[in-house]
Amino acid sequence: MADDSTKPQATAPGACESFEFRSIGHVRTPYTEKFGTPRQSNLVNDTTSTFELREDLNPEIFDGLESYSHVWLIFVFDRNGTQEFKKVKVHPPRLGGAAVGVFATRSPHRPNPIGLSLARLLRRDGRRLFLAGLDLLDGTAILDIKPHLPSREHPAEAHEGWSANLAEKTLQVSWLESAQADLHHAFGVDAETAKRAITQILEQDPRPVVYRGHADNPNPYTSRYGFVHAGWNVVFDLPESNQARVLALTAWPQTQPETQPKAE
Amino acid sequence: MADDSTKPQATAPGACESFEFRSIGHVRTPYTEKFGTPRQSNLVNDTTSTFELREDLNPEIFDGLESYSHVWLIFVFDRNGTQEFKKVKVHPPRLGGAAVGVFATRSPHRPNPIGLSLARLLRRDGRRLFLAGLDLLDGTAILDIKPHLPSREHPAEAHEGWSANLAEKTLQVSWLESAQADLHHAFGVDAETAKRAITQILEQDPRPVVYRGHADNPNPYTSRYGFVHAGWNVVFDLPESNQARVLALTAWPQTQPETQPKAE
């Protein structure tokens, strides 16, 4: 069980140190591209993701974790390409144009592209965890898993900052009858669960800001959108600015290059 | 502002990937050794710690963070020596002998020695944050800072696992009169704040399990203890098993080698 490659290595003493970490495993989620992936954890609860522990780690490392309802995942934003960190300020969709420093956000574009997500622990099976509410892209590398301690990690006096009361406008979601038929064809007995998950994703308006347009200036690029969910391309439009309508689910070959709109 | 050295580098595709991160800065805290450092954040609220941003990062990266009451610090357990990760199970003090997997704990001895602490944000001054409730050793390297989002990070149905209702026995704390005189000599106008902090630390019984002994078998090593707080050696004993008494505060030269009991 000795694992001698993960100790921190300080390459420069003093002001700036460098540390090397190895993934402890990866998650499998229904989300294969940023478009259509929930922006935060627990926005979409009706998906089950799995975490699989690295083969050389003893699964007893999870013993006792089953007793907690929620776990923290510390992960690497490694599935959005390797963009260099350049801008210290970002424009969160909910602020509609205003900029804040990246350390005042949960943006992936940070000096160290490390993420923190809370997930509901459904069950554990040996070296595998079943999780709900994850907002991670399929294949994301995980660095650490810790129990959530509600007694310590929710101070009564805690208050939210600029993001409070700035819930994004949610969309009303409808399905064409033919899209529901596609759904049953695609997901079989899991159709209703998949429908809830896709509906929750659409309620949050998954479109990047650049594709949303404004009231006076609708999206100049396209009126139809698609995002890949669990291997299926979910095609939708917006018949009204507060409504999303699922038009079809079409097979999405894993090997096909992405042609959907990309987030920023 | 470009910073081209912090992007993740996957050295091996597939099962195990390696990532390199650079510290974004360090914290200054009153805690210079593990003995006397709170075991979790928010146990000791009457200390102020500071975080200072790395010099080459633009302090605008914090803009907007002031609006949040609490922040997450993702840090490296880099001040306890570089112990290799070996044991997948640990014996938390509160379980009195029973073992759990390290991923079911917040133990520093993890495959990746990454920690997660919630701190109260008192104020920001340019590239410096003033924080309360931190449980980090002085000089700890920080990898990331994120706002705490109470609306998302405290699910109503969350429940704690093995650590619930296992609060450690707390000690009643008294001070010798001469120790109070030492306190005023040491901390001047900040004496009362320092007294509260030291009292809170002692209430949690900072002694490592190995030094506690049992009812029938008191600590075989020593009856006096000391821990360093803000540069002062706090000497105490336990006149009864549920009482701690501060005997003296003595100057603790920074350069003197540590001779105090060490936590595991």
Side-chain angles (χ1 to χ4, degrees):
Chain A
M1 272 316 303
D3 187 341
D4 58 4
S5 60
T6 54
K7 63 182 177 184
Q9 299 191 319
T11 56
C16 179
E17 293 161 295
S18 176
F19 300 92
E20 192 174 344
F21 301 108
R22 289 171 62 195
S23 57
I24 58 163
H26 296 79
V27 287
R28 301 309 313 264
T29 76
Y31 312 119
T32 50
E33 49 177 37
K34 191 170 169 183
F35 187 38
T37 299
R39 291 198 183 81
Q40 292 181 49
S41 59
N42 298 308
L43 286 177
V44 174
N45 286 305
D46 275 306
T47 55
T48 299
S49 303
T50 55
F51 168 79
E52 178 113 11
L53 186 66
R54 212 174 72 198
E55 287 228 334
D56 62 312
L57 286 169
N58 184 332
E60 288 182 6
I61 201 163
F62 284 135
D63 287 1
L65 189 62
E66 312 89 316
S67 63
Y68 293 85
S69 66
H70 290 71
V71 296
W72 292 109
L73 282 85
I74 296 179
F75 62 93
V76 185
F77 287 109
D78 62 341
R79 297 282 142 176
N80 284 323
T82 51
Q83 293 177 301
E84 287 176 20
F85 170 72
K86 287 201 179 100
K87 294 186 220 157
V88 295
K89 292 198 148 190
V90 292
H91 298 80
R94 285 180 287 177
L95 277 180
V100 289
V102 295
F103 285 157
T105 76
R106 305 292 279 253
S107 162
H109 306 294
R110 327 176 65 79
N112 291 313
I114 297 175
L116 174 67
S117 271
L118 188 65
R120 186 152 51 92
L121 178 59
L122 299 172
R123 65 190 172 90
R124 169 208 172 186
D125 181 8
R127 57 177 59 250
R128 189 174 294 171
L129 304 179
F130 292 81
L131 303 161
L134 266 193
D135 55 348
L136 306 186
L137 284 166
D138 189 38
T140 294
I142 307 299
L143 297 176
D144 201 4
I145 292 177
K146 299 178 190 289
H148 170 47
L149 309 175
S151 63
R152 297 253 173 260
E153 300 183 326
H154 185 64
E157 77 280 12
H159 67 79
E160 196 149 337
W162 63 259
S163 52
N165 307 317
L166 274 180
E168 294 194 60
K169 183 191 62 159
T170 55
L171 303 180
Q172 285 189 304
V173 180
S174 62
W175 290 67
L176 285 191
E177 252 181 55
S178 55
Q180 302 219 52
D182 292 346
L183 183 79
H184 285 273
H185 169 65
F187 290 95
V189 295
D190 295 326
E192 283 309 308
T193 303
K195 186 179 179 183
R196 281 198 300 274
I198 291 169
T199 299
Q200 286 168 355
I201 291 167
L202 286 171
E203 281 171 350
Q204 308 295 327
D205 194 352
R207 295 173 303 158
V209 172
V210 66
Y211 280 92
R212 293 188 193 179
H214 307 284
D216 304 334
N217 179 20
N219 180 341
Y221 304 106
T222 179
S223 59
R224 283 193 170 200
Y225 308 86
F227 65 90
V228 178
H229 184 78
W232 292 87
N233 187 28
V234 181
V235 183
F236 67 99
D237 67 1
L238 278 79
E240 301 286 339
S241 67
N242 64 344
Q243 292 175 15
R245 178 172 57 180
V246 183
L247 304 173
L249 268 65
T250 58
W252 189 256
Q254 288 280 24
T255 51
Q256 186 172 328
E258 296 173 352
T259 57
Q260 304 303 308
K262 293 290 175 298
E264 26 169 6
Chain B
M1 273 315 304
D3 187 339
D4 57 6
S5 61
T6 54
K7 63 182 177 185
Q9 300 190 319
T11 57
C16 180
E17 295 161 292
S18 177
F19 301 93
E20 193 175 343
F21 302 108
R22 291 170 62 193
S23 57
I24 58 164
H26 295 78
V27 287
R28 301 310 314 265
T29 76
Y31 312 119
T32 51
E33 49 178 35
K34 191 170 169 184
F35 187 38
T37 299
R39 292 198 183 81
Q40 291 180 51
S41 60
N42 297 308
L43 287 176
V44 174
N45 287 305
D46 275 305
T47 55
T48 299
S49 303
T50 54
F51 168 80
E52 177 114 12
L53 186 66
R54 211 174 73 200
E55 288 229 333
D56 62 313
L57 286 170
N58 184 332
E60 290 183 5
I61 202 164
F62 284 136
D63 286 2
L65 189 63
E66 312 92 317
S67 63
Y68 292 85
S69 67
H70 289 73
V71 296
W72 292 110
L73 283 84
I74 296 178
F75 62 94
V76 185
F77 288 108
D78 62 342
R79 298 281 141 175
N80 284 323
T82 50
Q83 293 176 302
E84 286 177 20
F85 170 71
K86 286 203 181 96
K87 294 187 221 157
V88 294
K89 292 197 146 188
V90 292
H91 298 80
R94 285 182 286 176
L95 276 181
V100 289
V102 296
F103 285 157
T105 77
R106 306 290 280 250
S107 163
H109 307 292
R110 328 176 63 80
N112 292 313
I114 298 175
L116 174 67
S117 271
L118 188 66
R120 188 152 50 92
L121 179 60
L122 300 171
R123 64 189 174 91
R124 170 208 171 183
D125 180 9
R127 58 177 58 252
R128 190 174 292 174
L129 304 179
F130 292 80
L131 303 161
L134 264 194
D135 56 348
L136 306 187
L137 284 165
D138 189 38
T140 294
I142 307 299
L143 297 176
D144 201 4
I145 292 177
K146 299 177 192 290
H148 170 47
L149 309 174
S151 62
R152 298 251 172 262
E153 300 183 325
H154 186 63
E157 78 281 11
H159 66 80
E160 196 149 335
W162 63 260
S163 53
N165 308 317
L166 273 179
E168 294 194 62
K169 184 189 61 159
T170 56
L171 303 179
Q172 285 188 305
V173 180
S174 62
W175 290 67
L176 285 191
E177 253 183 50
S178 56
Q180 302 218 53
D182 292 346
L183 183 80
H184 284 274
H185 170 64
F187 290 96
V189 295
D190 295 325
E192 284 308 310
T193 303
K195 186 179 179 182
R196 281 198 300 274
I198 291 169
T199 299
Q200 287 169 354
I201 291 166
L202 286 171
E203 282 172 348
Q204 308 295 326
D205 194 352
R207 296 174 303 158
V209 172
V210 67
Y211 281 91
R212 292 187 192 180
H214 306 283
D216 304 334
N217 180 21
N219 181 342
Y221 305 106
T222 180
S223 59
R224 282 191 172 204
Y225 308 87
F227 65 89
V228 178
H229 184 79
W232 292 85
N233 187 26
V234 180
V235 184
F236 68 99
D237 67 0
L238 278 79
E240 302 286 341
S241 67
N242 64 344
Q243 292 175 16
R245 179 173 56 180
V246 184
L247 304 173
L249 267 64
T250 58
W252 189 256
Q254 288 280 23
T255 52
Q256 186 172 329
E258 294 172 355
T259 58
Q260 304 304 306
K262 293 290 177 297
E264 23 169 9

